[in-house]
Amino acid sequence: MATTARPDTFYDVMRRQGVTRRSFLKFCGLTASALALGPEFIGTIAHAMETKPRTPVLWLHGLECTCCSESFIRSAHPLAKDVVLSMLSLDYDDTLMAAAGFQAEAMLEDTMQKYKGRYILAVEGNPPLNEDGMFCIVGGKPFVERLRYAAKDAAAVIAWGSCASNGCVQAARPNPTQATPIHKVITDKPIIKVPGCPPIAEVMTGVVTYMLAFDKIPELDAQGRPKMFYGQRIHDKCYRRPHFDAGQFVEQWDDEAARKGYCLYKVGCKGPTTYNACSTVRWNNGVSFPIQSGHGCIGCSEENFWDKGSFYDRVTELNTFGVEANADKVGLVAAGAVGAGIAAHAAISIAKKKDHEKETQE
Amino acid sequence: MASIETFDRPVYVYEKPVRLWHWINALAIVVLAVTGYLIAWPPVVTAGEASDHYLMGYVRFVHFSAGYVLAVGLIGRAYWALVGNRYARELFAPRLHDVHWWQALLHEVRWYLFLVEEPGKHAGHNPLAGLAMFLFYVLGSLFMITTGFALYGEGLGAGSWAANAFGWVLPALGGSQQVHSLHHLGMWYLVIFTLIHVYVAVREQHLSRQSVTTTMIDGWRVWKDDRP
């Protein structure tokens, strides 16, 4: 590849793989609409694809379960195959690449040197910091060292999934390995958080496509998430929302309301507190998403979702003091205690007043 | 600050705007607590199509409207603290730097512990009441307004005034779900305040040396004896 006078563009590679010009333009159109861009951006995307050299992506894995990768390779649109093999040059991904051992490590070095300051670093999972990072060793070194090393010359960093973005399950209390989201380790690079456990495949490929086509990171919200996918709650676009507004709720998993597909709010659906695109993009090529299959959202793209009480309670438990109680139990006990105090105080006050009156009469 | 207070003739303490605010506010809090509780534990409609009902929608509408009343009321009350009489400022500014104020506060505490025979006389709030009002009501309602509009902004959507002004609250307090829980706890904080407030006001009306509940109705502080 490096031997040609001009570096390969995305378009070159796609054409070489037998993609027709017509299919290429269709892809540009579909991508523009997936990113919620207007029709005029189809030309922009096509032009970028035709003229830009492929952007290399290094994909590192820390403490994680690989569900992000599993999701990514199931992307239906644009097909992950296209993204991985044609559009972006995924130079290093230890679970997807054919190479192994020294050969694989050499590719990491090679890309880092050749594309210094231009490659995108995608991180799946997070580094545990306890015991000098010894809880996660990759290629013979603590993952935290490799992460810092690879991030040094990256143009931008993508935090795949809740692990990289928020810490996820391995950072749940008491977090013995001190698993730490990457924005607390890499502080000098732009970080795009793509939370979810895993994130939606189309959201992942959409974010990558946007960065490749426009050479900039997508617009982020205050927490560093792309606004186009994390700007609304599941609840805002949920197809069961009319049942919520009507007051039609499932109360038992086997009740009539559950069969009719009413709102899962009362059985703990976290849609109203979760920012993600599940209710619009859905999963598995738009087939379904948790609420559509009859189970509430568990809020997997929200920070510390694992430590926020049961998935099945509306008013969730507060484990502040290690005692399980929700806001109402706490409130009722406190109000009851105060009420009893008031009653006792009132009784004494009245008794004292009567005494006083008796004394003055005498 | 220790100006000479006269205890031999009635004092006009609560001006009309303050009294009006108090009762509108009381109503708003009752409405907010009831609808807020119903939002957390909603009543269920079973029959018919979703389009036939709008129960949750109405409950939320009433909650949000009452929330606006509470917030606008607090702004109006703060304005009146600037332009109203001297007693209008007490709610927002407990005189923590004043030794006499602390002594009087201690006296009120002792009165409530049945350790002294008589409470002091105060044209405005007695120091204990003023401090409680500030800690419970002012801080409590500020917290509820802040968290409330942060949650309200989620529904209005990104870019709305509420999301722009209060959106920062959500990540700062640990996310939307956490803020829901804290907002719910805040309701109980104000419920407890209300319990104590009503009890104390009625008790003072009957047992203290001055009018209390009637003052919030006609504005006049009436003394029951002539002693200082």
Side-chain angles (χ1 to χ4, degrees), chain A residues 233 241 244-249 251 262 265-266 270 273 275 308 314 316 327-328 331 334 342 345-346 348-349 353, chain B residues 37 39-42 45-48 50 54-57 112 114 154-155 174 176-177 180 184 188 199 203 207:
Chain A
R233 298 170 299 172
R241 178 60 188 262
F244 171 85
D245 289 327
Q248 294 178 318
F249 298 106
E251 293 187 288
Y262 287 175
Y265 180 83
K266 290 192 86 169
K270 300 294 181 285
T273 54
Y275 289 78
K308 287 184 175 167
R314 173 75 247 140
T316 43
D328 280 319
I342 287 174
H345 198 274
I348 299 173
S349 301
K353 191 180 183 187
Chain B
Y37 193 83
I39 289 169
W41 304 100
V45 173
T46 46
Y54 199 60
L55 183 59
M56 191 68 166
Y112 271 89
F114 307 106
E154 295 195 288
S176 174
Q177 196 189 334
H180 276 87
H184 201 118
W188 283 107
Y199 168 65
R203 182 179 190 273
L207 299 184

Side-chain angles (χ1 to χ4, degrees), chain A residues 91-107:
Chain A
D91 288 29
Y92 180 90
D93 181 333
D94 38 19
T95 43
L96 288 182
M97 70 199 301
F102 292 112
Q103 199 188 356
E105 299 309 304
M107 282 167 84

Side-chain angles (χ1 to χ4, degrees), chain B residues 12-35:
Chain B
Y12 189 54
V13 177
Y14 299 128
E15 296 153 292
K16 267 203 184 91
V18 174
R19 273 138 55 203
L20 188 68
W21 169 78
H22 175 272
W23 294 111
I24 290 175
N25 208 40
L27 182 68
I29 289 174
V30 171
V31 171
L32 281 164
V34 171
T35 53

Side-chain angles (χ1 to χ4, degrees), chain A residues 38-357:
Chain A
E40 68 268 30
F41 284 96
I42 298 170
T44 314
I45 292 176
H47 184 71
M49 294 279 167
E50 286 164 354
T51 52
K52 275 194 195 148
R54 295 196 298 163
T55 307
V57 175
L58 296 179
W59 189 310
L60 300 187
H61 298 257
L63 272 193
E64 46 94 340
C65 72
T66 316
C67 74
C68 299
S69 291
E70 290 289 344
S71 176
F72 186 71
I73 60 175
R74 276 158 186 76
S75 175
H77 157 64
L79 278 169
K81 186 175 78 75
D82 291 331
V83 179
V84 178
L85 300 176
S86 319
M87 288 173 48
L88 67 110
S89 124
L90 197 55
D91 288 29
Y92 180 90
D93 181 333
D94 38 19
T95 43
L96 288 182
M97 70 199 301
F102 292 112
Q103 199 188 356
E105 299 309 304
M107 282 167 84
L108 179 71
E109 288 294 327
D110 193 40
T111 305
M112 279 185 64
Q113 277 167 17
K114 206 154 74 181
Y115 297 95
K116 194 171 179 180
R118 286 196 286 134
Y119 63 88
I120 294 170
L121 178 69
V123 184
E124 185 177 347
N126 58 32
L129 301 184
N130 209 2
E131 304 284 355
D132 296 325
M134 288 305 180
F135 289 105
C136 183
I137 306 286
V138 180
K141 284 181 187 164
F143 177 64
V144 62
E145 283 178 23
R146 158 178 295 243
L147 174 63
R148 287 204 182 101
Y149 177 69
K152 192 165 44 98
D153 296 321
V157 181
I158 302 178
W160 281 147
S162 292
C163 298
S165 303
N166 307 322
C168 206
V169 183
Q170 62 272 41
R173 274 192 286 261
N175 191 2
T177 65
Q178 213 187 316
T180 307
I182 61 165
H183 66 269
K184 291 188 180 158
V185 177
I186 312 295
T187 49
D188 58 345
K189 299 282 174 191
I191 293 180
I192 303 105
K193 292 186 196 165
V194 188
C197 191
I200 305 168
E202 283 74 12
V203 168
M204 299 175 81
T205 49
V207 168
V208 172
T209 308
Y210 184 95
M211 289 172 72
L212 298 178
F214 295 102
D215 237 352
K216 62 176 183 188
I217 59 176
E219 203 185 339
L220 305 179
D221 66 9
Q223 293 174 70
R225 304 170 298 190
K227 277 185 180 172
M228 59 181 89
F229 298 116
Y230 295 91
Q232 283 184 314
R233 298 170 299 172
I234 307 278
H235 184 61
D236 295 320
K237 286 284 167 70
C238 183
Y239 80 105
R240 296 193 184 196
R241 178 60 188 262
H243 294 299
F244 171 85
D245 289 327
Q248 294 178 318
F249 298 106
V250 173
E251 293 187 288
Q252 299 286 332
W253 293 106
D254 56 352
D255 66 10
E256 185 61 22
R259 277 187 283 278
K260 284 183 174 165
Y262 287 175
C263 176
L264 299 162
Y265 180 83
K266 290 192 86 169
V267 284
C269 176
K270 300 294 181 285
T273 54
T274 304
Y275 289 78
N276 209 334
C278 302
S279 50
T280 44
V281 177
R282 306 194 185 190
W283 289 78
N284 300 321
N285 200 8
V287 168
S288 185
F289 73 113
I291 295 166
Q292 193 173 346
S293 67
H295 189 285
C297 165
I298 63 169
C300 75
S301 57
E302 286 296 304
E303 198 168 346
N304 301 331
F305 77 96
W306 205 264
D307 279 332
K308 287 184 175 167
S310 166
F311 295 151
Y312 305 105
D313 289 334
R314 173 75 247 140
V315 178
T316 43
E317 314 244 291
L318 313 158
N319 20 23
T320 319
F321 311 107
V323 178
E324 288 186 3
N326 64 31
D328 280 319
K329 290 178 197 156
V330 172
L332 263 177
V333 168
V338 169
I342 287 174
H345 198 274
I348 299 173
S349 301
I350 292 165
K352 279 210 91 154
K353 191 180 183 187
K354 285 208 171 127
D355 269 3
H356 188 71
E357 277 164 5

